[in-house]
Amino acid sequence: MTVTDAPHADVGSVALEGGEALAPDYLLRLRGVGHVFGEDEKRYHALDDVDLDVPRGEFLCLLGPSGCGKSTLLNIMAGFVPSTSGSIKFENREITGPGPSRMMLFQDSLLALFPWLSVTDNVEFGLKVRSVPAQERRVAAAQYLTMVGLAAHSHKFPHEMSGGMRQRLQIARALATRPDVLLMDEPFGALDAITRRNMHRVLLDVWEKTGITVVFVTHDIAESLLLADRIAIMSLGPRSRIQDLVDLRHLPRPRDPATTEFGIAYRRIEQLLNETPKAASVQ
Amino acid sequence: MDGTVRQRGTEEAVPPAKEELRPSLHVAAWKFVNRHSALMALFSLVCFVVFWQLSSGYLISSFLIPPPTAVVRAAIPMMYSGEYFQDVGISLFRIFIGFASGTAAGVFLGLLLGRLWFIRQLFDPIIEVLRYLSPTAMIPIAVIWFGIGEMSKYFLIFWGTFFIIVVSTIDGVLRVPVTRVRAAQCLGASRVQIFTRILIPTILPAIITGMRLAMASSFMSIIPAEMLAADSGIGYLLQASASLAQTDRIFVALVTISVLGVMVDSLFRFMTRRLLHRYTVYLAAS
């Protein structure tokens, strides 16, 4: 396993100063991103100097303790929240707001879905707002609902489905608009352990079939090890940053938690997480 | 706690008749009430009317509270002469005009204030001050402004409706989940599309609740308005009967107000269920 302790190192890129042209196809590029909440005494410096590159097609997990700013970072990538400092580029263009190429998936599916629309209408929503003809919409909805295994439930409404089904619906709805990247904010955090296992399978299946890029926020080590190409470990706030980047691409898929390699990786990440408070106190 | 657990247990344990305990009487009664709620409502009302009939004339003077039979006897000639239906019709029409205009204006201003923070800061204090002026308090000035004609009644119902709808609409707008708006933004919805396709459907339940409250308030404020400033309507009927000490006619008017209120609310609920079911059902589930 490769652990690069220096967060500035671009894993997978050609190590050249200012070598933008030689860099691989980076979808998201964060440089010196910082975020401060509030003003004066209520000021909270959540993120400081975050550097991160996400190549196209990668499955990246943001792992860290609660309150470390993972969700804030994801919201900045989505364009919901402007960062206070630094630059976030998507396909080499500065992000100024939310866009259909960066699709956020939320943990609270009942809030994120449109509960007055049927399953099919939810999936078609993103196409309808850009005036895609009805016939095309129907075909796309059927295709993505089949992909996540919801084809038989197309006439139901979100509140009539289980939490796991609703998250699959969120994935199908997201895919229908063909985004470049899925930004997932602890999407399976509210599900039971068995449903979550199924969701991991569904998500990895979708990821492999579509070749989409995923940035996945979690505080669950095992979950990140099951899913990720790379894990970005964030330090505890305030002034949290990306403390380590762990490359897991050598672990074969589908990943089996019972293997020795998995256990070794798990222990290594646990060690890195334990170092977090020390690193903060040194500052 | 213990009681509910046992109750639920017995309810579910009924179908498998293996070692069924003897169903106790209170469980059977509980199940019956649960299944026939409409029948139970009718039953309790019938009990109330019977009690009213029996007590009037024995427990209480039949002049102060005339028995149901006397109320019906007074109502029949009123219905035959047509004055009754005229009064009911004019009151309902006034409520309808004031309620519809008040709802339209209230939703419009509520959306505006809910969406535009600056305007809300400007208008909120004014609304907060004015909404404590009940329609009844506004009767004298309404009569001076609009005279004793229809306009003053429309205005008073409008006044009562408007503030309830404004407050509930603003509340609805402020409660629209950020998550849902963000999801729509990601899916490529424009600002206008977010307004029409996300905001409006999300706040519909709040508006419907506001409308039901405003309807009840309209029924309450039409009466004093007609008592003090009208020569027709149910309120006028009450006033005229009182001045002649015709308690049976007063009770005809009182029963009419109750029945009309329940009927209008039931109709309203039926219509929203029929037309807007999908915008409200999920609330019970979440």
Side-chain angles (χ1 to χ4, degrees):
Chain A
M1 178 167 46
T2 329
V3 174
T4 50
D5 281 323
H8 290 260
D10 300 339
V11 175
S13 77
V14 182
L16 267 178
E17 279 297 312
E20 296 271 344
L22 288 171
D25 189 11
Y26 282 121
L27 203 61
L28 280 161
R29 167 159 280 191
L30 282 67
R31 283 291 173 273
V33 171
H35 194 74
V36 179
F37 287 107
E39 285 171 6
D40 303 328
E41 311 97 75
K42 285 182 180 170
R43 207 177 133 87
Y44 181 74
H45 203 134
L47 295 172
D48 190 32
D49 202 22
V50 173
D51 290 356
L52 184 66
D53 288 319
V54 186
R56 188 178 287 278
E58 183 175 73
F59 200 126
L60 178 85
C61 276
L62 288 175
L63 178 71
S66 292
C68 74
K70 309 182 293 282
S71 295
T72 307
L73 191 58
L74 206 64
N75 283 335
I76 289 172
M77 290 186 205
F80 297 141
V81 181
S83 66
T84 10
S85 57
S87 111
I88 315 103
K89 283 185 173 153
F90 174 78
E91 288 189 320
N92 271 325
R93 266 196 301 267
E94 203 67 32
I95 290 172
T96 52
S101 49
R102 287 159 286 126
M103 183 69 61
M104 183 79 118
L105 278 90
F106 301 89
Q107 186 180 99
D108 192 330
S109 52
L110 263 186
L111 290 185
L113 294 166
F114 308 133
W116 55 86
L117 297 180
S118 70
V119 166
T120 308
D121 289 343
N122 262 284
V123 178
E124 287 187 24
F125 182 91
L127 304 173
K128 210 168 182 178
V129 294
R130 65 197 76 177
S131 317
V132 173
Q135 181 58 32
E136 238 175 276
R137 292 203 306 259
R138 228 163 295 139
V139 171
Q143 179 194 342
Y144 290 107
L145 283 174
T146 307
M147 193 184 276
V148 299
L150 284 181
H153 305 279
S154 59
H155 294 292
K156 284 192 176 160
F157 283 82
H159 67 92
E160 296 168 331
M161 306 198 301
S162 68
M165 287 163 83
R166 287 204 290 261
Q167 288 303 15
R168 281 188 269 161
L169 173 55
Q170 255 204 99
I171 294 172
R173 183 178 73 171
L175 293 175
T177 58
R178 301 183 162 276
D180 292 290
V181 55
L182 296 181
L183 305 171
M184 308 182 82
D185 193 359
E186 297 189 33
F188 311 141
L191 304 177
D192 67 83
I194 292 169
T195 309
R196 198 190 301 192
R197 275 185 64 219
N198 290 332
M199 289 307 301
H200 291 153
R201 233 170 274 148
V202 170
L203 178 60
L204 286 174
D205 183 48
V206 161
W207 176 65
E208 272 159 20
K209 276 183 187 155
T210 58
I212 200 166
T213 312
V214 181
V215 180
F216 189 104
V217 161
T218 180
H219 54 235
D220 182 338
I221 301 174
E223 184 172 55
S224 65
L225 282 171
L226 272 173
L227 298 174
D229 281 332
R230 282 191 305 154
I231 301 176
I233 300 177
M234 293 186 70
S235 62
L236 192 66
R239 291 178 179 277
S240 79
R241 56 194 183 82
I242 293 182
Q243 169 197 306
D244 298 286
L245 273 166
V246 181
D247 198 332
L248 297 169
R249 278 173 291 190
H250 63 284
L251 283 181
R253 291 175 188 271
R255 299 209 175 126
D256 181 358
T259 57
T260 329
E261 294 107 306
F262 197 95
I264 293 168
Y266 192 100
R267 198 160 316 143
R268 177 75 184 116
I269 288 175
E270 218 166 32
Q271 278 169 358
L272 290 169
L273 279 170
N274 286 338
E275 284 169 14
T276 308
K278 261 182 263 163
S281 65
V282 168
Q283 279 193 335
Chain B
M1 187 65 198
D2 203 3
T4 57
V5 168
R6 207 180 303 134
Q7 228 168 24
R8 191 184 287 173
T10 43
E11 187 201 9
E12 284 165 0
V14 169
K18 257 186 178 175
E19 45 173 315
E20 191 178 324
L21 297 167
R22 191 186 302 150
S24 64
L25 196 63
H26 86 272
V27 171
W30 184 82
K31 276 167 69 180
F32 183 84
V33 172
N34 202 22
R35 282 181 198 162
H36 307 277
S37 59
L39 207 66
M40 285 311 295
L42 189 71
F43 176 71
S44 81
L45 284 175
V46 167
C47 281
F48 174 70
V49 172
V50 167
F51 174 76
W52 177 8
Q53 176 73 39
L54 293 180
S55 58
S56 171
Y58 297 98
L59 293 173
I60 315 153
S61 140
S62 62
F63 170 73
L64 294 180
I65 301 183
T69 45
V71 175
V72 173
R73 222 177 296 132
I76 290 167
M78 290 163 73
M79 290 182 180
Y80 265 111
S81 73
E83 59 163 330
Y84 176 81
F85 294 108
Q86 219 167 354
D87 281 328
V88 168
I90 192 87
S91 288
L92 284 180
F93 186 74
R94 285 165 181 161
I95 288 175
F96 175 76
I97 297 289
F99 178 76
S101 56
T103 301
V107 168
F108 179 77
L109 195 75
L111 287 173
L112 209 67
L113 298 197
R115 286 290 281 188
L116 304 171
W117 172 85
F118 185 76
I119 299 186
R120 184 165 71 247
Q121 297 296 313
L122 216 63
F123 276 80
D124 226 23
I126 305 172
I127 289 172
E128 280 304 306
V129 171
L130 290 184
R131 76 193 185 96
Y132 291 99
L133 298 173
S134 67
T136 314
M138 296 299 288
I139 292 174
I141 197 68
V143 171
I144 293 173
W145 286 345
F146 302 106
I148 202 156
E150 292 306 295
M151 199 59 200
S152 57
K153 263 73 71 190
Y154 298 157
F155 169 77
L156 290 167
I157 301 300
F158 174 94
W159 184 268
T161 303
F162 177 75
F163 291 104
I164 295 174
I165 300 287
V166 167
V167 170
S168 49
T169 306
I170 293 177
D171 193 57
V173 174
L174 296 181
R175 279 168 198 268
V176 171
V178 185
T179 300
R180 192 168 294 155
V181 174
R182 285 179 171 177
Q185 281 178 329
C186 277
L187 290 164
S190 67
R191 287 174 69 96
V192 175
Q193 283 168 332
I194 286 174
F195 184 84
T196 56
R197 289 166 190 258
I198 305 299
L199 188 104
I200 299 284
T202 303
I203 66 170
L204 265 179
I207 295 180
I208 291 170
T209 305
M211 284 172 79
R212 284 186 66 199
L213 293 173
M215 184 58 87
S217 136
S218 299
F219 268 86
M220 286 180 210
S221 41
I222 190 68
I223 303 303
E226 288 175 341
M227 285 171 76
L228 295 172
D231 48 13
S232 59
I234 305 170
Y236 173 76
L237 174 64
L238 268 174
Q239 172 66 22
S241 312
S243 60
L244 296 171
Q246 295 165 317
T247 47
D248 49 357
R249 283 169 67 94
I250 290 181
F251 269 78
V252 171
L254 293 179
V255 171
T256 303
I257 297 166
S258 303
V259 171
L260 281 182
V262 171
M263 274 170 55
V264 169
D265 193 57
S266 307
L267 183 72
F268 190 79
R269 285 163 72 174
F270 175 77
M271 300 254 289
T272 49
R273 186 170 280 248
R274 262 296 162 83
L275 302 172
L276 307 170
H277 187 58
R278 57 163 57 198
Y279 300 103
T280 51
V281 259
Y282 65 89
L283 291 171
S286 55

